[in-house]
Amino acid sequence: MEFTLFETSDVHGYLYPTDYQSREHKMEHGLFKIASLLKKERQALKGPSLTIENGDIIQGSPFTHYLVKHKNSAKYLMDAVNQLNFDIGIIGNHEFNYGLDYLDSAVETAKYPFLCANIVKSDGSLAFGQAYKIFEKEGIKIAVLGLTTQYIPNWEHPENYEGLSFLSAVDTAKKYVPTLRENADIVVVSYHGGFEKDLKTGEETEAQTGENEGYKILNEVTGIDVLLAGHQHRLIAEVVGKTAVLMPGSKGEYLGKVVIELEKNNDTVMIKEMKPELLSVEGMPVDENLSDQFKWLNDEVEDWLDQPIGKVKGDMQINDVEKARQEEHPYVEFINRVQMHYADCDISGTALFNNTVKGFDESVTMRDVVLNYIYPNTLAVLKVTGKELKTAIEQSAMYFKVNDDDQISINPEFMNPKPQMYNYDMYEGIDYVIDVAQPEGERVVEFKYQGKDIMPDDDLEIVINQYRAVGGGNYSMFDATKIIREVTIPMNELIGDYFAKYSPISADVNNNFKVISTK
């Protein structure tokens, strides 16, 4: 007989096939396309199945931003998700972005159980649902263990996970999998996390921080038949050793699928073969029933996005995003100025989060804001030393390398296995020069504050987003102990408020930093 597993992961609130840059629905992604694909796949099944939602579903799109700002509940999103008839849900790291009350509204509205074995309350009890669940389908027992990346405190505002502790996913798997192996024919681990090493060579692909433990789980925990992964937005469908591994990208571009061929003799069930694959939604229509049902809400989102909020005087459009990372751009200066204004701080750092950031045209709408500043970051002011700030800029400088033609290019480590443009920061309020031709750690060749060289033991106050303030992006020189005050309103709201107060905004730049190569 055949048993089939389906997986979605990192949908990030994209229900419709749109990127919200316009009102058009022409993208090849979205949960409503997944719904059509699932319906087609389920009709063709040759045996029982389970469908698992692997986390990061309630945050990440203008749609979800609107819900948290204007509806204050994940119920509306979950009403749509429920109609795909998931059997299990997993908690993703971005589920915490809007706070525990909002996360609880999603868990309470879901018509399927959440599994999370490695997030616990202060008394040691599980914070969300059960650790695992054993299903029986046509005489076959399937155990599913739910895990979440343990790294959430390194990104998130402490208030958003208050009272919770995050345990190692690999240690938790070692605790539960032997028992599940004894009691089930098929053991599935659904992990909202990724892989810290190359699955074939074992070479490290990132800093070994514990954020991603998938490789360790595969190599240190025996008895796992299927590992469903996510978080890194990668496309993976392969068998590693004796374990089928899936990761289906993001935004509902792919549906993960594993077909397991079984042979049953009396009370013994043997796995004969496993076929993992990723099914693209390209060319699939949206589920018309779902699309019609939630049109009213999406129309509200589109109308909100098109509301004008202010004007720009001059040119704040980004035509070359990499050039904007090497020579200060008016948009970058503007974002830093907003942070400095609301944090009452004269040194600020920010990033261009991806390569689709376009900056602002003459007339600015809320759509422009949420497409440029895509994360619901709040701000924190830190007291740091000159040495710590310089070390942070040296870490950012690792984004660049000099290629064979002596031209400045992008360090591949910031692109693979996952693009991390958001981990290159640009500062305002200080003057500095990065010389990419110098050895890593020695690239900051000019470093001044108010016209004077910054000394290692100088005390400075800087404003950065909360993700970076607690060390996100492996910026270990920053942590929560250095935070001296916070701005708890999300930055995309602050940008809108700033426009309302000071429009028109001049597209100015003071060229306080530059990236060069003296090679």
Side-chain angles (χ1 to χ4, degrees):
M1 64 179 293
E2 284 185 358
F3 172 75
T4 304
L5 271 170
F6 297 111
E7 179 201 11
T8 62
S9 191
D10 299 273
V11 173
H12 287 290
Y14 281 89
L15 302 185
Y16 289 88
T18 177
D19 57 7
Y20 288 100
Q21 293 198 22
S22 71
R23 288 180 177 249
E24 294 183 337
H25 289 187
K26 292 184 177 181
M27 307 301 292
E28 296 293 354
H29 66 226
L31 197 70
F32 292 167
K33 279 184 170 252
I34 289 282
S36 294
L37 182 54
L38 255 179
K39 193 176 292 184
K40 177 185 172 185
E41 286 291 317
R42 285 168 172 162
Q43 289 171 350
L45 287 172
K46 297 178 181 177
S49 70
L50 287 176
T51 307
I52 298 177
E53 207 302 297
N54 193 52
D56 275 8
I57 195 162
I58 68 172
Q59 180 279 338
S61 69
F63 187 95
T64 60
H65 180 100
Y66 177 82
L67 290 184
V68 74
K69 186 175 175 65
H70 294 278
K71 304 296 184 185
N72 199 30
S73 172
K75 175 188 181 300
Y76 299 90
L77 178 75
M78 296 308 296
D79 283 347
V81 175
N82 282 333
Q83 295 186 51
L84 275 74
N85 297 316
F86 288 104
D87 295 289
I88 289 169
I90 306 298
I91 302 292
N93 57 294
H94 282 288
E95 258 70 81
F96 291 87
N97 283 173
Y98 299 142
L100 288 173
D101 288 345
Y102 197 82
L103 171 50
D104 287 342
S105 76
V107 173
E108 290 164 6
T109 310
K111 292 183 178 178
Y112 49 84
F114 279 85
L115 303 182
C116 190
N118 66 318
I119 303 179
V120 297
K121 299 177 183 177
S122 55
D123 62 2
S125 63
L126 296 177
F128 302 100
Q130 309 159 238
Y132 64 87
K133 184 168 183 178
I134 298 178
F135 296 83
E136 186 160 351
K137 301 263 186 177
E138 298 182 20
I140 306 297
K141 290 183 178 178
I142 309 101
V144 183
L145 175 68
L147 299 169
T148 301
T149 173
Q150 65 173 331
Y151 214 59
I152 288 161
N154 295 85
W155 303 309
E156 198 57 68
H157 193 293
E159 186 179 278
N160 289 353
Y161 60 89
E162 188 175 2
L164 303 181
S165 296
F166 299 80
L167 310 178
S168 161
V170 67
D171 291 347
T172 305
K174 288 176 180 177
K175 173 183 175 182
Y176 284 101
V177 168
T179 301
L180 300 181
R181 183 75 277 170
E182 291 177 10
N183 292 283
D185 302 306
I186 300 171
V187 175
V188 179
V189 172
S190 194
Y191 170 45
H192 189 87
F195 299 97
E196 70 280 26
K197 295 183 179 181
D198 186 278
L199 290 177
K200 291 184 173 66
T201 67
E203 291 181 19
E204 293 183 1
T205 53
E206 62 185 34
Q208 305 295 289
T209 61
E211 173 185 351
N212 297 300
E213 299 179 275
Y215 185 88
K216 269 190 174 182
I217 290 172
L218 283 172
N219 287 274
E220 295 184 14
V221 186
T222 57
I224 300 171
D225 299 311
V226 181
L227 176 59
L228 305 178
H231 181 56
Q232 292 173 316
H233 299 188
R234 295 165 64 186
L235 301 178
I236 300 174
E238 57 188 273
V239 176
V240 180
K242 294 183 178 179
T243 305
V245 179
L246 280 181
M247 190 187 296
S250 65
K251 297 182 183 178
E253 296 169 312
Y254 292 86
L255 175 67
K257 177 184 178 183
V258 183
V259 176
I260 304 174
E261 289 190 22
L262 301 166
E263 191 173 87
K264 188 174 182 181
N265 292 316
N266 299 320
D267 293 331
T268 305
V269 177
M270 299 288 291
I271 294 177
K272 291 179 63 180
E273 188 179 7
M274 292 188 290
K275 300 174 185 174
E277 60 180 319
L278 299 178
L279 307 177
S280 172
V281 301
E282 186 173 355
M284 289 296 299
V286 295
D287 183 295
E288 290 295 340
N289 178 50
L290 284 169
S291 181
D292 292 346
Q293 193 176 333
F294 292 91
K295 182 180 182 299
W296 68 273
L297 183 55
N298 198 62
D299 286 347
E300 279 189 18
V301 175
E302 298 282 12
D303 291 343
W304 169 69
L305 288 171
D306 284 334
Q307 290 177 6
I309 60 169
K311 299 279 188 182
V312 169
K313 189 164 63 176
D315 185 4
M316 208 180 279
Q317 291 182 309
I318 298 175
N319 298 313
D320 184 338
V321 69
E322 291 303 344
K323 184 179 179 182
R325 293 188 174 107
Q326 296 177 38
E327 301 174 15
E328 191 179 30
H329 189 279
Y331 171 80
V332 175
E333 172 124 350
F334 168 72
I335 295 299
N336 273 322
R337 293 289 178 191
V338 172
Q339 294 188 172
M340 293 158 80
H341 174 79
Y342 287 104
D344 191 21
C345 186
D346 62 359
I347 302 175
S348 171
T350 192
L352 297 173
F353 298 130
N354 56 33
N355 284 347
T356 61
V357 56
K358 299 281 176 51
F360 296 138
D361 206 342
E362 180 183 354
S363 179
V364 182
T365 65
M366 201 63 208
R367 189 185 301 274
D368 299 318
V369 173
V370 299
L371 288 173
N372 281 280
Y373 203 100
I374 59 176
Y375 296 119
N377 291 324
T378 56
L379 302 175
V381 177
L382 284 68
K383 189 173 185 178
V384 300
T385 64
K387 180 181 178 181
E388 287 166 337
L389 180 55
K390 188 174 184 180
T391 303
I393 296 174
E394 288 284 4
Q395 182 161 327
S396 277
M398 292 170 65
Y399 180 82
F400 301 107
K401 72 181 191 72
V402 179
N403 63 23
D404 295 337
D405 298 326
D406 295 339
Q407 299 297 310
I408 298 172
S409 60
I410 312 306
N411 184 344
E413 291 182 9
F414 279 78
M415 301 304 294
N416 298 302
K418 177 184 178 180
Q420 297 180 55
M421 290 76 79
Y422 51 82
N423 281 331
Y424 168 71
D425 293 333
M426 294 157 284
Y427 283 84
E428 182 60 49
I430 57 174
D431 295 285
Y432 63 99
V433 176
I434 293 171
D435 184 354
V436 185
Q438 304 306 313
E440 288 185 356
E442 302 175 19
R443 290 176 163 182
V444 179
V445 295
E446 185 177 311
F447 190 46
K448 295 177 183 291
Y449 173 58
Q450 296 181 346
K452 298 178 181 178
D453 288 338
I454 300 173
M455 296 292 106
D457 57 353
D458 285 352
D459 285 330
L460 303 166
E461 290 187 9
I462 65 171
V463 56
I464 49 181
N465 67 51
Q466 185 73 32
Y467 170 82
R468 187 72 78 239
V470 295
N474 301 323
Y475 278 75
S476 58
M477 71 294 299
F478 300 146
D479 63 59
T481 65
K482 295 180 171 65
I483 296 174
I484 56 175
R485 61 183 181 274
E486 298 177 68
V487 180
T488 57
I489 301 170
M491 254 302 278
N492 30 36
E493 288 189 41
L494 293 179
I495 293 168
D497 292 345
Y498 193 89
F499 267 107
K501 189 172 183 180
Y502 296 108
S503 181
I505 307 296
S506 293
D508 296 327
V509 63
N510 62 3
N511 297 307
N512 68 292
F513 78 86
K514 58 183 175 180
V515 180
I516 64 171
S517 173
T518 56
K519 189 172 179 179

PDB file of all heavy atoms in Angstrom, residues 274-287:
ATOM      1  N   MET A 274      10.705   5.281  -0.587  1.00  0.00           N
ATOM      2  CA  MET A 274      10.167   6.605  -0.304  1.00  0.00           C
ATOM      3  C   MET A 274      10.498   7.544  -1.460  1.00  0.00           C
ATOM      4  O   MET A 274      11.635   7.565  -1.939  1.00  0.00           O
ATOM      5  CB  MET A 274      10.740   7.162   1.007  1.00  0.00           C
ATOM      6  CG  MET A 274      10.263   6.391   2.230  1.00  0.00           C
ATOM      7  SD  MET A 274      10.754   7.191   3.778  1.00  0.00           S
ATOM      8  CE  MET A 274      12.521   6.903   3.758  1.00  0.00           C
ATOM      9  N   LYS A 275       9.494   8.295  -1.908  1.00  0.00           N
ATOM     10  CA  LYS A 275       9.674   9.198  -3.049  1.00  0.00           C
ATOM     11  C   LYS A 275       9.306  10.624  -2.638  1.00  0.00           C
ATOM     12  O   LYS A 275       8.137  11.014  -2.692  1.00  0.00           O
ATOM     13  CB  LYS A 275       8.790   8.757  -4.222  1.00  0.00           C
ATOM     14  CG  LYS A 275       9.077   7.357  -4.739  1.00  0.00           C
ATOM     15  CD  LYS A 275       8.052   6.959  -5.793  1.00  0.00           C
ATOM     16  CE  LYS A 275       8.236   5.511  -6.239  1.00  0.00           C
ATOM     17  NZ  LYS A 275       7.144   5.069  -7.153  1.00  0.00           N
ATOM     18  N   PRO A 276      10.295  11.427  -2.218  1.00  0.00           N
ATOM     19  CA  PRO A 276      10.011  12.834  -1.898  1.00  0.00           C
ATOM     20  C   PRO A 276      10.051  13.696  -3.157  1.00  0.00           C
ATOM     21  O   PRO A 276      10.894  13.487  -4.040  1.00  0.00           O
ATOM     22  CB  PRO A 276      11.151  13.207  -0.952  1.00  0.00           C
ATOM     23  CG  PRO A 276      12.279  12.307  -1.336  1.00  0.00           C
ATOM     24  CD  PRO A 276      11.675  11.038  -1.902  1.00  0.00           C
ATOM     25  N   GLU A 277       9.136  14.649  -3.253  1.00  0.00           N
ATOM     26  CA  GLU A 277       9.147  15.565  -4.393  1.00  0.00           C
ATOM     27  C   GLU A 277       8.484  16.878  -4.013  1.00  0.00           C
ATOM     28  O   GLU A 277       7.751  16.973  -3.028  1.00  0.00           O
ATOM     29  CB  GLU A 277       8.457  14.951  -5.615  1.00  0.00           C
ATOM     30  CG  GLU A 277       6.997  14.583  -5.398  1.00  0.00           C
ATOM     31  CD  GLU A 277       6.354  13.967  -6.630  1.00  0.00           C
ATOM     32  OE1 GLU A 277       6.615  14.457  -7.751  1.00  0.00           O
ATOM     33  OE2 GLU A 277       5.573  13.007  -6.474  1.00  0.00           O
ATOM     34  N   LEU A 278       8.758  17.900  -4.816  1.00  0.00           N
ATOM     35  CA  LEU A 278       8.130  19.206  -4.647  1.00  0.00           C
ATOM     36  C   LEU A 278       7.235  19.471  -5.845  1.00  0.00           C
ATOM     37  O   LEU A 278       7.683  19.387  -6.989  1.00  0.00           O
ATOM     38  CB  LEU A 278       9.192  20.304  -4.531  1.00  0.00           C
ATOM     39  CG  LEU A 278      10.156  20.198  -3.350  1.00  0.00           C
ATOM     40  CD1 LEU A 278      11.182  21.333  -3.406  1.00  0.00           C
ATOM     41  CD2 LEU A 278       9.418  20.221  -2.021  1.00  0.00           C
ATOM     42  N   LEU A 279       5.978  19.780  -5.581  1.00  0.00           N
ATOM     43  CA  LEU A 279       5.004  20.026  -6.638  1.00  0.00           C
ATOM     44  C   LEU A 279       4.778  21.528  -6.771  1.00  0.00           C
ATOM     45  O   LEU A 279       4.323  22.189  -5.836  1.00  0.00           O
ATOM     46  CB  LEU A 279       3.682  19.330  -6.314  1.00  0.00           C
ATOM     47  CG  LEU A 279       3.758  17.826  -5.996  1.00  0.00           C
ATOM     48  CD1 LEU A 279       2.377  17.303  -5.626  1.00  0.00           C
ATOM     49  CD2 LEU A 279       4.328  17.055  -7.165  1.00  0.00           C
ATOM     50  N   SER A 280       5.116  22.081  -7.918  1.00  0.00           N
ATOM     51  CA  SER A 280       4.954  23.508  -8.149  1.00  0.00           C
ATOM     52  C   SER A 280       3.482  23.857  -8.356  1.00  0.00           C
ATOM     53  O   SER A 280       2.724  23.081  -8.948  1.00  0.00           O
ATOM     54  CB  SER A 280       5.761  23.929  -9.381  1.00  0.00           C
ATOM     55  OG  SER A 280       5.471  25.270  -9.723  1.00  0.00           O
ATOM     56  N   VAL A 281       3.103  25.058  -7.895  1.00  0.00           N
ATOM     57  CA  VAL A 281       1.728  25.531  -8.140  1.00  0.00           C
ATOM     58  C   VAL A 281       1.638  26.277  -9.469  1.00  0.00           C
ATOM     59  O   VAL A 281       0.564  26.772  -9.817  1.00  0.00           O
ATOM     60  CB  VAL A 281       1.215  26.441  -7.008  1.00  0.00           C
ATOM     61  CG1 VAL A 281       1.241  25.727  -5.677  1.00  0.00           C
ATOM     62  CG2 VAL A 281       2.006  27.748  -6.950  1.00  0.00           C
ATOM     63  N   GLU A 282       2.736  26.342 -10.203  1.00  0.00           N
ATOM     64  CA  GLU A 282       2.735  27.071 -11.472  1.00  0.00           C
ATOM     65  C   GLU A 282       1.641  26.543 -12.402  1.00  0.00           C
ATOM     66  O   GLU A 282       1.533  25.342 -12.639  1.00  0.00           O
ATOM     67  CB  GLU A 282       4.097  26.952 -12.157  1.00  0.00           C
ATOM     68  CG  GLU A 282       4.219  27.812 -13.404  1.00  0.00           C
ATOM     69  CD  GLU A 282       5.620  27.829 -13.980  1.00  0.00           C
ATOM     70  OE1 GLU A 282       6.532  27.249 -13.361  1.00  0.00           O
ATOM     71  OE2 GLU A 282       5.801  28.431 -15.062  1.00  0.00           O
ATOM     72  N   GLY A 283       0.822  27.433 -12.893  1.00  0.00           N
ATOM     73  CA  GLY A 283      -0.259  27.059 -13.800  1.00  0.00           C
ATOM     74  C   GLY A 283      -1.533  26.618 -13.107  1.00  0.00           C
ATOM     75  O   GLY A 283      -2.570  26.463 -13.766  1.00  0.00           O
ATOM     76  N   MET A 284      -1.479  26.398 -11.790  1.00  0.00           N
ATOM     77  CA  MET A 284      -2.688  25.999 -11.059  1.00  0.00           C
ATOM     78  C   MET A 284      -3.588  27.217 -10.841  1.00  0.00           C
ATOM     79  O   MET A 284      -3.114  28.310 -10.543  1.00  0.00           O
ATOM     80  CB  MET A 284      -2.326  25.411  -9.687  1.00  0.00           C
ATOM     81  CG  MET A 284      -1.674  24.040  -9.730  1.00  0.00           C
ATOM     82  SD  MET A 284      -2.742  22.742 -10.409  1.00  0.00           S
ATOM     83  CE  MET A 284      -4.110  22.756  -9.258  1.00  0.00           C
ATOM     84  N   PRO A 285      -4.890  27.051 -10.993  1.00  0.00           N
ATOM     85  CA  PRO A 285      -5.800  28.150 -10.654  1.00  0.00           C
ATOM     86  C   PRO A 285      -5.949  28.259  -9.137  1.00  0.00           C
ATOM     87  O   PRO A 285      -5.652  27.309  -8.399  1.00  0.00           O
ATOM     88  CB  PRO A 285      -7.125  27.717 -11.286  1.00  0.00           C
ATOM     89  CG  PRO A 285      -7.069  26.212 -11.246  1.00  0.00           C
ATOM     90  CD  PRO A 285      -5.622  25.836 -11.453  1.00  0.00           C
ATOM     91  N   VAL A 286      -6.375  29.404  -8.660  1.00  0.00           N
ATOM     92  CA  VAL A 286      -6.699  29.505  -7.242  1.00  0.00           C
ATOM     93  C   VAL A 286      -7.985  28.733  -6.979  1.00  0.00           C
ATOM     94  O   VAL A 286      -8.792  28.499  -7.889  1.00  0.00           O
ATOM     95  CB  VAL A 286      -6.878  30.966  -6.785  1.00  0.00           C
ATOM     96  CG1 VAL A 286      -5.585  31.733  -6.898  1.00  0.00           C
ATOM     97  CG2 VAL A 286      -8.004  31.652  -7.555  1.00  0.00           C
ATOM     98  N   ASP A 287      -8.187  28.308  -5.755  1.00  0.00           N
ATOM     99  CA  ASP A 287      -9.448  27.715  -5.340  1.00  0.00           C
ATOM    100  C   ASP A 287     -10.500  28.822  -5.359  1.00  0.00           C
ATOM    101  O   ASP A 287     -10.438  29.767  -4.564  1.00  0.00           O
ATOM    102  CB  ASP A 287      -9.304  27.117  -3.935  1.00  0.00           C
ATOM    103  CG  ASP A 287     -10.561  26.420  -3.463  1.00  0.00           C
ATOM    104  OD1 ASP A 287     -11.588  27.113  -3.276  1.00  0.00           O
ATOM    105  OD2 ASP A 287     -10.530  25.183  -3.283  1.00  0.00           O
TER     106      ASP A 287
END
